[in-house]
Amino acid sequence: VNKHKPWIETSYHGIITENNDTVILDPPLVALDKDAPVPFAGEICAFKIHGQEMPFEAIVLNKTSGEGRLRAKSPIDCELQKEYTFIIQAYDCGSGPSGTNWKKSHKAVVHIQVKDVNEFSPAFKESMYKATVTEGKIYDSILQVEAIDEDCSPQYSQICNYEIVTTDVPFAIDRNGNIRNTEKLNYDKQHQYEIMVTAFDCGQKHATEDVLVRVNVKPVCKPGWQDWNRRIEYRPGSGSIPLFPSIRLETCDGPVSSIHTTIELQTNYIGKGCDRETYSEKSLQKLCGASSGAIDLLPSPSTTTNWTAGLLMDNNDMIFKFDGKQGAKIPDGIVPKNLTDQFTIALWMKHGPSPGLRAEKETILCNSDKTEMNRHHYALYVHNCRLVFLLRKDFDQADTFRPAEFHWKLDQICDKEWHYYVVNVEFPVVTLYMDGTTYEPYLVTNDWPIHPSHIAMQLTVGACWQGGEVTKPRFAQYFHGSLAGLTIRPGKIESQKVISCLQACKEGLDINSLESLGQGIKYHFNPSQSVLVMEGDDIENINQALRKVSYINSRQFPTAGVRWLKVSSKVQCFGEDVCISIPDIDAYVMVFQANEPKITISGMDHFARPAAQFESERGVLLLPDIRIVSTVTKTEHPVDLKGHDRANKPVLLEEMLHNLDFCDILVIGAELDPEQECLELDRVALQGKHLDATNSTAGYSIYGVDSMHNYEQVLRQMRYRNWYTAATFDRKFRVKCSELNGRYTSNEFNLEVNILHSSNSNFMEHVNHVIVQPQFLQSVHHPEASITALHNSVVPSVATVVIIICVSVLIFIITLGVYRIRTAQQHSSADGEGGKENEMDWDDSALTITVNPMEKYEKPHLAEEESEEEDIDDEEEDTTSAESDESEEEEDEEEEEEEVVVQKGDKQNATRQEQL
């Protein structure tokens, strides 16, 4: 009999994990029945849940023990419902198998909480955030970003942290999403910042997509120069270009009373302090009108000037670097022993502070005893940043206490910058020019003259020769620094005008249209025009004046590279203790590389003359028609040019005019024998030009900065004489010209001269050839591939045709002549003595071909006229020379035959021969 109803707890608490079906109950689900162990009545058959559509069900695990389990019928989503509450009852099995008379327990309350899973990532509310800030301020919060998380629990639904993903930005973000700047922002440095931000929930799950935050920087009005470019481009030949064509000064309505502006062009790292002409010292002195006789002590190394070969050298600017270990001996005879009471020493020097407290003397130039003693006759040296010139007279020149040491103390001696020094000696007065400015010595010490001796002297550069007081003569008092253009001019001093020309810069600042400067503008240039100072009281006038400041470089081939510019300004205000501050301008001029010129020498490269002309008083003109042309090649890049068509891009060939600084005529082969031959040039040809010339057995050198036209005129006057031609048959010469001391050189033009002696002069004079001048056009457009054809192929192709025709005719005539002679001989043998008359007729007709041209060759005056009319190129010359040799051999054979026949002839035959 089912007497008792089941019993369960009155309440249960359960937890179910999201997306799981198992519910963990506390206490466990167990029903008890006092009818146990009676079958059916004491057993538990079911647990029933009361509630509307509850997603749970209870099952009986063991009827006897009453143990049950609560589980979810479908996936539980915490985001839909976080907890559930419902009623549960237990049912026994009744009184029999049919389940009749079952009893149920009391109602128990079940409360279930859903445990969350971190399945959602944070997401930002906005797709992008924007903010605007004013430069120069620090903000606590510029803007706030916000992200949300759809998870249900506080642990996973709350945002615990924000982070800036973009690196190297001046911003930070806190846990609440507030963004602030970590440093003052600058509008000129950056107008806008774009940063990426991410968020993390408390389960450390980050957002799937970062958000963009754009911060715009708003400029504040601040004083300074506006509307200028940091880079200014300068192309060679541009003349004067403005540096700041649109510049203006922003004062933010400040009470400005006057403005003081300094523009500085920094060129101390270009060449010797700025862009100067890089011609040789001799050429520069000739160009500046310096008196002749200057001796270059630091020339470029060559066979005749080899004492500088062991020195460290910068070839582009002729700069010699001395590291305290090197010196150069000047050979005897280069500088005269007696410099007289007037002479000049000039040099470029770059020198820094000397190491040590008591620095040693650093010798620039020294003339001392070669052996036995250690006396310094004259010297120029640096000691403790002082320039000292020593001059000791001999007793035969003076016998009294005389000035001997002259000291100058200048900051520029040790500033590691290039400066031009000129020491003018008018004994007993010595004057120093430094960068064109005169300086008197601050200290002059006297000394007795040097006792006379027969010891030879040694002139050195970069160190002083110590010939005595040591076991072995050696260098001492080495120089540390750089030298260039060291010259000494005995017997004369240099004028200040020439000194200023020699050290003048070819680049600098300039002002376009000085007359248009506003009223009240004061300006001042330094001597080298590298610094310009402007002052005015009106802002607009200062703006207009600064827009007219320009850069100019007068060199045709300037040194490429950067020239730094610095503009500094000071402003005074009306009655203001604190005035506005104007930041400096740092800009630069980019000087481009000039188009490299191609210098071409052309003219007659092979000729022959009778020996008598070479032996005459005037000799023979070597280069009567020489031509020097310089061209530059420019490539155009059309917009519609395809990449594969670049090989056929149009080329522009332009002739350009520029100066030359030397042309050398060198002898190829054995040097000239001064006892029988020489190269001569009338000095009259050099008058009115910036040119000079030197000659030796190796050739002739013409130097000086002058036009190509003037060089052509002088070279055309060059003559070759040989008053003993018996042992000489030919001479070969080579001509080569240069611009900018070898920076640009011409082709090597080779000339061959043949001396015709009496045996072959009559015939060979017909083989003189003159090369056709290449036609350089002022501006020619044609494909690059046709340039070679333009210069080399057009004329030679016509000449080749002429050569072939001439050779063919010559061979035909010779063959015909020989054939007729042979036929005549055979005919005479067959007819016997009676047919002698006919034989002479045949021979006469043969002589018509062979004898008459040879008679013509024997007339020298006709041969000379014909040789001057011929004008063909090198290929004709070689071919015709070879053919003429062959024709000579044929003609010699015919002459022998002619002599035999003429001896047998009679008077009638001689008359017929004349008529033929």
Side-chain angles (χ1 to χ4, degrees), residues 367-378:
N367 191 29
S368 59
D369 290 330
K370 186 176 288 188
T371 57
E372 299 181 28
M373 303 183 72
N374 190 28
R375 300 175 302 173
H376 295 185
H377 297 264
Y378 62 86

Side-chain angles (χ1 to χ4, degrees), residues 230-293:
R230 188 167 185 265
R231 175 187 171 103
I232 302 105
E233 295 183 351
Y234 186 87
R235 300 188 181 277
S238 302
S240 179
I241 63 166
L243 295 173
F244 310 109
S246 305
I247 197 169
R248 62 181 180 87
L249 180 63
E250 178 62 65
T251 60
C252 298
D253 301 325
V256 176
S257 61
S258 68
I259 305 168
H260 182 276
T261 300
T262 302
I263 305 103
E264 182 181 1
L265 180 68
Q266 299 173 348
T267 60
N268 52 353
Y269 47 87
I270 300 293
K272 296 188 286 289
C274 68
D275 209 0
R276 294 182 171 91
E277 295 293 5
T278 55
Y279 295 115
S280 66
E281 199 63 27
K282 276 187 176 181
S283 299
L284 279 176
Q285 289 174 353
K286 189 76 177 175
L287 186 65
C288 289
S291 52
S292 59

Side-chain angles (χ1 to χ4, degrees), residues 713-741:
Q713 288 184 323
V714 173
L715 288 171
R716 288 171 183 173
Q717 304 300 315
M718 184 64 60
R719 304 188 311 277
Y720 171 63
R721 286 183 61 205
N722 191 321
W723 49 91
Y724 185 72
T725 58
T728 308
F729 292 91
D730 59 20
R731 265 295 186 188
K732 294 181 180 179
F733 302 92
R734 176 175 295 155
V735 183
K736 188 173 183 179
C737 296
S738 155
E739 163 67 337
L740 294 176
N741 202 28

Side-chain angles (χ1 to χ4, degrees), residues 780-823:
V780 184
H781 280 279
H782 50 81
E784 189 175 25
S786 67
I787 293 180
T788 306
L790 177 67
H791 294 290
N792 299 328
S793 300
V794 175
V795 175
S797 62
V798 177
T800 305
V801 175
V802 174
I803 291 171
I804 294 172
I805 294 173
C806 293
V807 172
S808 302
V809 171
L810 181 61
I811 294 173
F812 174 78
I813 291 173
I814 293 172
T815 306
L816 181 61
V818 172
Y819 171 77
R820 296 182 68 177
I821 290 173
R822 302 296 183 202
T823 306

Side-chain angles (χ1 to χ4, degrees), residues 440-486:
E440 298 297 331
Y442 81 95
L443 175 64
V444 178
T445 58
N446 297 340
D447 204 345
W448 290 104
I450 293 178
H451 293 283
S453 69
H454 299 288
I455 301 174
M457 291 181 288
Q458 177 65 62
L459 182 62
T460 56
V461 174
C464 198
W465 185 253
Q466 189 172 356
E469 303 176 4
V470 289
T471 56
K472 182 180 180 181
R474 57 180 174 83
F475 279 119
Q477 300 175 1
Y478 288 98
F479 180 75
H480 297 77
S482 298
L483 298 175
L486 177 59

Side-chain angles (χ1 to χ4, degrees), residues 11-274:
S11 64
Y12 292 91
H13 292 278
I15 296 176
I16 185 172
T17 301
E18 193 175 19
N19 299 323
N20 199 345
D21 64 347
T22 301
V23 179
I24 301 175
L25 286 177
D26 182 27
L29 182 59
V30 177
L32 301 176
D33 197 318
K34 291 183 179 180
D35 293 326
V38 176
F40 303 108
E43 294 177 347
I44 303 300
C45 276
F47 292 99
K48 291 188 178 180
I49 295 174
H50 303 282
Q52 294 182 351
E53 298 181 359
M54 285 296 165
F56 297 99
E57 62 180 0
I59 58 174
V60 177
L61 298 178
N62 191 322
K63 294 182 178 181
T64 303
S65 63
E67 182 181 356
R69 177 188 294 173
L70 188 66
R71 65 183 182 185
K73 294 187 293 184
S74 61
I76 304 298
D77 191 351
C78 178
E79 285 71 37
L80 294 178
Q81 190 169 342
K82 296 181 181 180
E83 56 185 27
Y84 296 87
T85 302
F86 53 86
I87 302 298
I88 191 171
Q89 284 182 306
Y91 289 80
D92 60 17
C93 294
S95 56
S98 61
T100 57
N101 298 323
W102 49 264
K103 295 184 182 294
K104 59 183 178 180
S105 69
H106 60 270
K107 296 179 179 179
V109 178
V110 180
H111 183 73
I112 297 177
Q113 288 184 332
V114 181
K115 186 178 179 181
D116 191 20
V117 174
N118 194 6
E119 56 185 337
F120 291 99
S121 299
F124 287 95
K125 288 186 174 182
E126 304 288 342
S127 59
M128 185 181 70
Y129 293 86
K130 292 181 181 180
T132 300
V133 297
T134 304
E135 65 173 349
K137 294 177 62 177
I138 296 291
Y139 289 83
D140 294 332
S141 177
I142 296 175
L143 79 159
Q144 184 181 23
V145 298
E146 186 178 358
I148 56 174
D149 194 316
E150 294 183 358
D151 286 312
C152 66
S153 64
Q155 179 183 1
Y156 299 137
S157 64
Q158 289 185 0
I159 305 300
C160 283
N161 193 23
Y162 292 91
E163 188 176 292
I164 295 176
V165 178
T166 309
T167 58
D168 299 327
V169 289
F171 297 96
I173 190 170
D174 61 14
R175 298 181 63 181
N176 296 321
N178 293 305
I179 296 176
R180 59 184 177 85
N181 57 319
T182 57
E183 62 183 51
K184 294 180 180 180
L185 304 181
N186 190 317
Y187 176 80
D188 294 332
K189 182 179 178 182
Q190 194 164 342
H191 296 353
Q192 187 183 79
Y193 292 88
E194 292 186 349
I195 57 177
M196 302 300 293
V197 176
T198 190
F200 293 88
D201 61 20
C202 295
Q204 292 304 305
K205 195 167 189 174
H206 65 79
T208 53
E209 292 185 5
D210 301 335
V211 71
L212 173 65
V213 179
R214 184 172 291 147
V215 180
N216 295 309
V217 182
K218 184 175 66 175
V220 296
C221 181
K222 59 181 179 181
W225 296 103
Q226 306 289 333
D227 301 334
W228 54 273
N229 293 322
R230 188 167 185 265
R231 175 187 171 103
I232 302 105
E233 295 183 351
Y234 186 87
R235 300 188 181 277
S238 302
S240 179
I241 63 166
L243 295 173
F244 310 109
S246 305
I247 197 169
R248 62 181 180 87
L249 180 63
E250 178 62 65
T251 60
C252 298
D253 301 325
V256 176
S257 61
S258 68
I259 305 168
H260 182 276
T261 300
T262 302
I263 305 103
E264 182 181 1
L265 180 68
Q266 299 173 348
T267 60
N268 52 353
Y269 47 87
I270 300 293
K272 296 188 286 289
C274 68

Side-chain angles (χ1 to χ4, degrees), residues 269-431:
Y269 47 87
I270 300 293
K272 296 188 286 289
C274 68
D275 209 0
R276 294 182 171 91
E277 295 293 5
T278 55
Y279 295 115
S280 66
E281 199 63 27
K282 276 187 176 181
S283 299
L284 279 176
Q285 289 174 353
K286 189 76 177 175
L287 186 65
C288 289
S291 52
S292 59
I295 302 166
D296 192 356
L297 300 181
L298 286 177
S300 295
S302 66
T303 54
T304 56
T305 59
N306 58 359
W307 63 86
T308 58
L311 302 178
L312 298 174
M313 180 183 174
D314 184 347
N315 290 322
N316 290 333
D317 299 300
M318 292 290 294
I319 295 171
F320 292 87
K321 299 179 181 180
F322 294 87
D323 56 2
K325 300 177 182 178
Q326 294 173 316
K329 291 182 181 180
I330 309 298
D332 297 338
I334 299 295
V335 178
K337 294 182 179 179
N338 184 14
L339 296 178
T340 73
D341 286 342
Q342 286 190 344
F343 61 92
T344 299
I345 299 174
L347 71 147
W348 287 95
M349 182 175 73
K350 180 181 180 181
H351 183 264
S354 304
L357 297 176
R358 296 186 61 187
E360 291 187 357
K361 296 177 181 179
E362 297 182 51
T363 301
I364 300 169
L365 180 68
C366 179
N367 191 29
S368 59
D369 290 330
K370 186 176 288 188
T371 57
E372 299 181 28
M373 303 183 72
N374 190 28
R375 300 175 302 173
H376 295 185
H377 297 264
Y378 62 86
L380 183 66
Y381 59 89
V382 175
H383 189 212
N384 288 325
C385 292
R386 289 166 175 80
L387 187 66
V388 183
F389 177 63
L390 169 71
L391 180 61
R392 301 285 301 279
K393 290 287 185 178
D394 292 340
F395 255 111
D396 56 356
Q397 296 173 316
D399 57 357
T400 59
F401 210 50
R402 305 295 295 273
E405 283 191 359
F406 304 84
H407 299 250
W408 293 271
K409 185 178 180 181
L410 302 172
D411 294 336
Q412 290 88 340
I413 295 173
C414 289
D415 66 355
K416 295 183 180 180
E417 303 289 347
W418 280 105
H419 299 285
Y420 189 56
Y421 299 86
V422 177
V423 179
N424 266 356
V425 179
E426 287 183 289
F427 196 80
V429 178
V430 179
T431 305

